[in-house]
Amino acid sequence: MSHLTDDYRAESRARKALPDVPGQMMEDVLRQAALPRRTLLRGGFGAALAAAFGSPLLAACGGGGGGGSSDAVAAPVTTPGQTLDAVNYAVSFKGIPATVGDQVYVPEGYTAEVLFAAGDAVVAGAAPFTGTFLDAAGYEQVAGGNHDGMHFFPLPGVDPNQGGLLAINHEAPDLRVLFASGTYDAATATAEQKAIALSSVGVSVVEVAQAGGQWAVKQGSPYNKRYSGNSTYAVGGPAAAAVGATVVGTLNNCASGKTPWGTYLTCEETTDNYLDPTQPEAGYGWVVEIDPQGTFAATKRTALGRFDHENTDYMLDADNGMAVYMGDDGTPGCVYKFVPSARYNPADRAANRNLLDSGTLYAARFNADGTGQWIELTQGRSGLVAGAQDPGNFTQSAIPPAPVTIDFNTQADVLVNTKAAARVAGATLMDRPEWVSVGPDRRIYCTFTNNGTRVVTDAANPRASNPHGHILRWTEDGDTVKATRFKWEMFLLAGDPRLTAANLKGDIHGDTFSSPDGIGVDPQGRLWVQTDASTSAATTNTFGNNSMYSVDPATKASRRFLVGPNGCEITGLTYTPDLKTFFINIQHPSGNWPSNVQGNSLPPRSSTIVVRRTDGKPVGA
C-alpha cells in the first residue's frame, strides 16, 4: 500500500469525524520506531532524501550489501508436464548493496528500461501527457498513477515470450501529472477535478511486444483499455442486492491476482470513495474481476468479502477445486480464504464466468502451537448473528475498546462488514497483511508489512511494536483447498541486527530489509520480496531505498536484486513464461526519475520497468 493511501484515508476519516485507530497510519508505525517518515508535501511527493549518484541513471551494480549475501541457491522446480530443457534457473546473481539515489539499480549484467509511465497513452488515438495538462476525457485514455499490482497474460496466436497483455493497477493519483497545483482536495473539488482524479485510479490493460530487442506498448492495439474510477462495474454475488446492480468506479487498486481462466482480479484497498465522498461506501472494498481480452463485463465479486484488499492468489486441487487467498491491509487486519462452490472448468472458459459469485469465505486463526484454523464466515455460524459483539481492534491498546453491537441478519451483512465479521468469529488480527503467494510446492506465503503500535502480541505477531514486519508460511492440512485447518511457521522477521532495540533486529540471513510488501513465488519456486519502508534518511541509512530481494525458500537467505529511486516503493511483479523478462513497478518516486532517464523535464512519475539479462538468460539465474 502506498503511503498516499494512508493520507487519503486520514482525510476521509477526518471528514466523517471518525475516531483514529492506533497504528492505522504509517505515521504511527514510524513514530514508534523513532524513524521520521517521508514527508508528503502538499504540492506532491517529498523531496529527494539523499544525494543522487552520478553514474548511469539505470545503473547495474556489483558487490554485496546488508549483512552479506549467502551463496545458497534454490533448487529448480518443475511443474507437471514441464521440463527445464537444460536451462538452469538456480539463483546466482551477485547481490547489490543497499543504495540511495535517483535511479534504478540492478546487478551487473542486467538492464532496466522504462516501459509505461503515468500519463502515457493507452487507448488508440489518445494524446499522452507531455507537460500540458489534459481534461477529464483525455485522462480517461492515458495511464493512471501509482502503478501497483499487475499480471502478464498471453494472447492467442502470440509467442508469450515476445508479447502479450499487461494488466496494471493504479492505486492513487500521480497528482503532478494531473493538476498544475499538484494538489487535490475532495471537499472543494469541482466536478471536472473529481473526474480527473478518479480517472487516475483503476486499471490499464495494454498490449506489449518485443521488437528489435526492446519491449514497448503497442499503440493502437484493440486490447488497450482503461478501467477507472469513472467507469461502471457490474456487481455479483450474495451482497449484490445490498450494494446495487452496478457501481460507478473502482478505487485504490492496490495489488491484484489472476484466475486460471485468464481473468484479472484487481483489489480495492479502501472501503469508501474518498476521491468523491458523495458515493455510497458499500460500493468499494471489493475484488473486481476484469477480462483483459474484453469478453466478460468487469464485475465486483462480493462473495470474496469487503475489506482493504491487498492481492489474491489461488490454488487448485487435482479435481479443479479452487481456493483464493487474500489479505486485509489494515492495522490490524485478517487473512482470508474463499472456496467457490463449483469447480474450475478448464475446458470451457465461459463456464467459469460467475464462479467467484458463490462459495464459502473463511478467516484465519493462527494458533500458538503452529496450527491454524479457517473459520467460516457464514451468517448464522461462528457467532455471526443478530446482536453480535464486535471486539474491535483490541491488539492496539492495553485497554480493549468497548465492544460494538452489530447485526448479521443476512449473508450480505457478513460480506459488507467482513472486517467486523472476522473479529466476531475469532480470527487472528495480524500486522497489516499484504501480499499472499502460493508456490508450485503448494506452500503459501504472506507478508505482514508492519504494525508499530501493536500492544497485545501473539505467536503469529510476536513483536509489540513491529515497524519492520514479517513473513509467514503455511500449508493446508491434507494438501487440499478444502481444508479447514493448516500448519504455519514464522518464515522470517524483518529488521537489521545493527539496530539497537530487540524488536528492530529481525532474523534475516543475508541482505536485510524493512516492511515486506509484494511477494511472489515464480514458476521455478524462487521467492521474490519487495519492500515499502519509510524513505526517510533514518531508514535508508540502514536499508537503502526500497528494493526487491530473492529469498531462498529453504535456507531463507536474502539477496538484494534491485534498488529503486529515491522516494519510491517497489511493487508489482510479473514475467514472461521463460522468465527472461520481468516487469516491475516503481511507485511514487520523489526525485527526477524517470525524466532523468527519458531526457525530458516531466515530473516524477510512477512507472513500469522491464528488467532483463544482457546475455538473454532467465532473470535471477
Side-chain angles (χ1 to χ4, degrees):
M1 177 176 73
S2 167
H3 70 278
L4 300 178
T5 294
D6 272 343
D7 295 294
Y8 283 122
R9 282 178 175 174
E11 292 171 7
S12 177
R13 294 182 69 83
R15 284 197 303 270
K16 299 169 188 173
L18 295 176
D20 287 333
V21 177
Q24 195 70 27
M25 296 289 292
M26 193 175 289
E27 299 283 2
D28 300 326
V29 174
L30 300 175
R31 186 180 303 114
Q32 291 296 318
L35 299 178
R37 176 209 157 131
R38 54 194 168 203
T39 301
L40 176 67
L41 300 179
R42 183 147 181 82
F45 307 122
L49 300 168
F53 285 71
S55 51
L57 295 171
L58 287 173
C61 302
S69 296
S70 168
D71 290 330
V73 297
V77 176
T78 57
T79 54
Q82 179 187 23
T83 62
L84 290 179
D85 296 327
V87 176
N88 184 3
Y89 293 91
V91 173
S92 62
F93 69 87
K94 190 175 183 180
I96 64 176
T99 308
V100 295
D102 205 20
Q103 53 194 299
V104 174
Y105 292 91
V106 290
E108 183 178 352
Y110 284 79
T111 61
E113 301 162 325
V114 178
L115 173 71
F116 184 63
D120 283 357
V122 173
V123 179
F129 172 78
T130 58
T132 300
F133 295 98
L134 310 176
D135 60 13
Y139 281 116
E140 283 288 329
Q141 302 183 70
V142 302
N146 278 264
H147 300 34
D148 207 307
M150 62 180 167
H151 191 71
F152 179 83
F153 293 90
L155 270 173
V158 177
D159 179 350
N161 296 314
Q162 299 296 315
L165 299 180
L166 270 182
I168 302 172
N169 274 7
H170 300 297
E171 184 181 353
D174 269 32
L175 292 176
R176 292 183 182 179
V177 174
L178 303 180
F179 304 109
S181 66
T183 65
Y184 177 75
D185 185 343
T188 60
T190 66
E192 174 75 0
Q193 289 169 335
K194 287 182 179 180
I196 288 173
L198 288 164
S199 74
S200 191
V201 296
V203 173
S204 290
V205 176
V206 290
E207 184 176 0
V208 295
Q210 185 176 191
Q214 298 291 319
W215 282 87
V217 174
K218 289 189 70 173
Q219 301 298 325
S221 168
Y223 293 106
N224 293 359
K225 188 173 182 179
R226 278 299 318 279
Y227 298 83
S228 79
N230 297 306
S231 307
T232 299
Y233 302 85
V235 181
V243 175
T246 60
V247 169
V248 175
T250 183
L251 188 72
N252 226 136
N253 305 82
C254 197
S256 56
K258 63 184 184 301
T259 67
W261 53 93
T263 57
Y264 183 66
L265 300 181
T266 181
C267 298
E268 298 181 327
E269 200 189 27
T270 185
T271 53
D272 70 341
N273 189 336
Y274 49 66
L275 295 179
D276 184 358
T278 65
Q279 302 296 307
E281 290 186 358
Y284 308 94
W286 305 105
V287 172
V288 187
E289 185 175 10
I290 290 175
D291 182 3
Q293 297 187 37
T295 303
F296 308 141
T299 303
K300 300 199 176 193
R301 302 295 183 188
T302 64
L304 278 68
R306 176 173 169 264
F307 47 87
D308 297 322
H309 283 275
E310 184 67 18
N311 86 320
T312 73
D313 203 1
Y314 72 85
M315 188 161 69
L316 288 176
D317 282 352
D319 66 356
N320 289 317
M322 180 180 177
V324 178
Y325 298 90
M326 303 169 284
D328 173 11
D329 187 7
T331 307
C334 295
V335 175
Y336 298 87
K337 176 172 81 169
F338 175 76
V339 179
S341 301
R343 297 174 184 171
Y344 158 58
N345 185 342
D348 184 356
R349 186 173 189 253
N352 306 301
R353 173 71 183 94
N354 297 311
L355 186 65
L356 300 181
D357 278 348
S358 179
T360 304
L361 183 65
Y362 301 88
R365 177 185 293 155
F366 294 85
N367 300 321
D369 63 359
T371 65
Q373 179 182 355
W374 290 111
I375 305 171
E376 184 175 344
L377 301 184
T378 297
Q379 193 276 334
R381 300 184 180 181
S382 308
L384 302 179
V385 296
Q389 297 297 296
D390 176 8
N393 292 318
F394 58 85
T395 61
Q396 304 305 106
S397 174
I399 301 174
V404 175
T405 300
I406 182 168
D407 293 328
F408 295 108
N409 295 314
T410 66
Q411 186 62 15
D413 291 338
V414 173
L415 297 172
V416 170
N417 302 288
T418 306
K419 285 172 169 283
R423 292 191 295 261
V424 168
T428 305
L429 300 183
M430 307 295 291
D431 285 347
R432 202 166 193 161
E434 294 269 359
W435 290 40
V436 182
S437 184
V438 179
D441 60 2
R442 300 173 71 82
R443 291 189 292 185
I444 304 157
Y445 297 80
C446 187
T447 54
F448 300 90
T449 293
N450 48 48
N451 181 359
T453 56
R454 174 179 282 272
V455 173
V456 180
T457 63
D458 54 56
N461 305 274
R463 296 194 279 197
S465 178
N466 180 18
H468 297 308
H470 58 283
I471 300 174
L472 296 187
R473 178 168 66 185
W474 70 88
T475 56
E476 297 280 25
D477 280 8
D479 194 32
T480 174
V481 301
K482 305 175 188 67
T484 57
R485 294 187 178 276
F486 57 92
K487 295 180 178 63
W488 68 271
E489 64 174 308
M490 181 66 66
F491 183 70
L492 63 78
L493 294 167
D496 191 286
R498 294 170 291 180
L499 299 174
T500 302
N503 68 317
L504 307 180
K505 291 180 178 297
D507 61 5
I508 294 176
H509 171 44
D511 293 335
T512 62
F513 53 81
S514 172
S515 302
D517 190 333
I519 193 168
V521 186
D522 71 27
Q524 293 301 323
R526 305 177 307 174
L527 177 64
W528 302 93
V529 176
Q530 301 169 318
T531 66
D532 182 23
S534 164
T535 56
S536 70
T539 302
T540 59
N541 285 346
T542 300
F543 301 102
N545 284 350
N546 278 307
S547 302
M548 176 170 156
Y549 301 77
S550 169
V551 181
D552 189 292
T555 68
K556 305 181 183 180
S558 171
R559 191 178 306 181
R560 190 179 293 102
F561 174 73
L562 175 149
V563 179
N566 292 335
C568 83
E569 167 190 346
I570 304 297
T571 184
L573 173 63
T574 190
Y575 22 71
T576 53
D578 61 7
L579 299 179
K580 293 182 179 180
T581 301
F582 273 32
F583 302 95
I584 299 167
N585 282 328
I586 309 294
Q587 190 181 104
H588 57 68
S590 64
N592 294 314
W593 191 90
S595 300
N596 53 13
V597 174
Q598 298 175 317
N600 59 52
S601 58
L602 296 178
R605 300 185 291 162
S606 301
S607 304
T608 301
I609 62 172
V610 175
V611 176
R612 293 180 292 169
R613 284 178 58 154
T614 55
D615 61 9
K617 294 181 180 179
V619 171

